[in-house]
Amino acid sequence: MEDCIKQALMEIVGLENFTDDLIELVPYSYDASDHDHRPEVAVWPTSTEQVSNILILANGHLFPVTPRGAGTGLSGGAVPVRGGLIMDLCKMNRIIDIRIADRQVIVEPGVVYADLENALAPHGFFFPPDPSSSSVCTLGGNVATNAGGIRGAKYGTTRDYVLGLEAVLPNGQVIRTGSGCIKSSSGLDLTRLFVGSEGTLGVITEITLKINPKPIETKTSLASFSNLSDAGQSVIEIIHSGILPSVLELLDENTIQVLTEHGKIDLPHAAAMILVETDGYTDAETSFQMDKVIEVLKRNNATDIRIARSAREAKELWKIRKSIGSVAAQLRTHNVSEDVTVPISKIVDLMTGISNIVRHYGLPFVIFGHAGDGNLHPRIMYDRSDPDQVEKLRMAVEEIFKLTCRLGGTLSGEHGIGLAKAPYLSLEHDSMRMNLMRAIKKLFDPNNILNPGKMALSN
Ligand SMILES: Cc1cc2nc3c(=O)[nH]c(=O)nc-3n(C[C@H](O)[C@H](O)[C@H](O)COP(=O)(O)OP(=O)(O)OC[C@H]3O[C@@H](n4cnc5c(N)ncnc54)[C@H](O)[C@@H]3O)c2cc1C
C-alpha cells in the first residue's frame, strides 16, 4: 500500500488508530478458522463518518477492506484473504440506548455480546441468540454471520431480532434500513439482506435489536439411550409435544466415549444422550414443560434419566455439554467444527451418515449439536502437519456437505460461509441463486473492495 494512502488513513482515524506494524498485523491474519492471510494495514475507526471516509478512499484507490469484530469467526470471514486493510470495529462499542418500553436496544457494532447481556440484566431483559463465544464476540460479528446458539430451537437466531441497521456501503454512502418498530411490511427487507452478509455488502455501524423479557426459572435433564434412533425419535416427539424446550442437545456415542475416557466424566455407557432445558417465569411452568419431556423420553426407552434438583445439579449436567470442545481438542493438534443443519426429522440420518463418512477416513471425531433446530456440530480432529490427514479431512468434509444437501439441509446453520465453505456453496444453491447473489454483490460493490473472496460472491 502506497505511503500517500497510509497518510490519508492516518488523517481519517488519527495516528493512534492506525497501524502498519508487523507485530500488530499478525493477530489480524487469522480468525478461529483454519485460514490465514496478513493485511497491510489495520485501522480502528471510532465513528460512522470515519468508516465512510475509509471506504471512499478504498473505492478510489481500489484496495480491499475487511471488517472485523472479535475475530472469533469459524469460517474465515474476517481473514483478509486479498490483503489490504483490516477495519477493526472494536472501538465503536457504545450501547447507545436501551428502550425497554419499545422492547429494543440500539448498539454500535463493537459491543461485546456479554456486555449487552450485563447491561440488560438489571431491566430483566435479554438478547436471546447466545453464541458460545458470547464473552468475546461482537454484535456486529453476530449480525454479519447471523449467529445462533444453544437456545435456537425456542429463540431463533440473530436474524429474528434485528429490527434495523445503519451500514456504510462500499462507496461510502450511509444507509439506514428497517425501522424502530417491532414489525414492518414496508418494502423489500434490506435489513435481512445485510444480516449474514459477512461484511461483503456494507460495514454495519449501528444495530437496533429486539429484546425479550428474561426467563427466571429453568429445569434441566439428561437422558441416555442404547440406540440413536430412540434418541432421534425423542427429539421429534418433544417437538410435537406442545411445548418448546429452550435447549435440546444431542450427543453421539463418540462424544460420550471421549468425555468418559479423556474428560474423566462419569457417564453411563450409551449410544446417545439428550440434554434438555425448559425455561419460563414460574416453577410450575418449567415443571409442566419438563414433565412432558420426561414422558416422551420414557416412552422412547431412555435407559437413564437424570433430572437436576438444584442449580448445582443443573450445572453438573451442563458441564457435560460444555466440556465437549476442550476434551475433544486433546485428541489431535487441530480440529474443525462444522455446523451443518437439516430439517429436524433428518437429524438421525445426518448423524449416522457423518459417522460412516468420518469413520471411513479414520480420523477421530465427535458429533453433537442443537437437535432442536436440526443443527449438528461434527468436530473432526486432525494433525495439520500431516498432508495425508489434511486431505482425508477435506474429503470427509466435502462428503458431509453433499450428504447434508441430499437431506435437504444447509451448509451452515450459524457460522457462515466465509472462506471455508465458499468452494461448496454451489452444492446447496443452484446457478440461478448463485448468479443472483453475485449480481447483488456487484450492485453494492462494483469494484469488489469489501471483503473480497468471501462466500463465493467475488474473486
Ligand atoms: C469457542 C467458539 C465458540 C463459538 N460458538 C458459536 C456459537 O455458539 N454460535 C455461533 O453462531 N457462532 C459461534 N462461534 C463463531 C463466532 O463466535 C461467531 O460467528 C460470531 O458471530 C463472530 O463474531 P466476531 O465479533 O468474532 O466476528 P468476526 O469473526 O470478527 O467476523 C465475522 C464476520 O463478520 C464480519 N463483520 C464483523 N463485524 C462487522 C461489521 N461491523 N460490519 C460488517 N461485517 C462485519 C467479518 O468481516 C466476518 O465476515 C464460536 C466461535 C468460537 C471460537
Side-chain angles (χ1 to χ4, degrees), residues 31-32 66-79 87 89 109-111 129-134 136-150 158 194 197-200 202-205 207 321 339 370 375 377 379 413-416 418 450-451 454:
D31 59 5
T66 304
R68 183 178 175 105
T72 65
L74 289 163
S75 304
V79 175
M87 186 186 284
L89 280 307
V111 173
D130 195 18
S132 311
S133 50
S134 61
V136 280
C137 67
T138 66
L139 295 168
N142 294 165
V143 173
T145 56
N146 186 25
I150 211 156
T158 301
F194 279 103
S197 65
E198 300 186 28
T200 62
V203 178
I204 296 159
T205 46
I207 309 162
R321 169 64 180 84
D339 66 320
H370 322 313
N375 183 190
H377 291 307
R379 190 177 286 237
E414 51 187 30
H415 298 164
L450 200 54
N451 215 356
K454 305 293 165 61

Side-chain angles (χ1 to χ4, degrees), residues 178-179 183-190:
S179 73
K183 62 184 195 177
S184 166
S185 302
S186 173
L188 294 181
D189 195 340
L190 296 177

Side-chain angles (χ1 to χ4, degrees), residues 137 142 253 264 397 402:
C137 67
N142 294 165
E253 190 167 18
K264 308 277 176 265
V397 166
K402 285 182 176 163

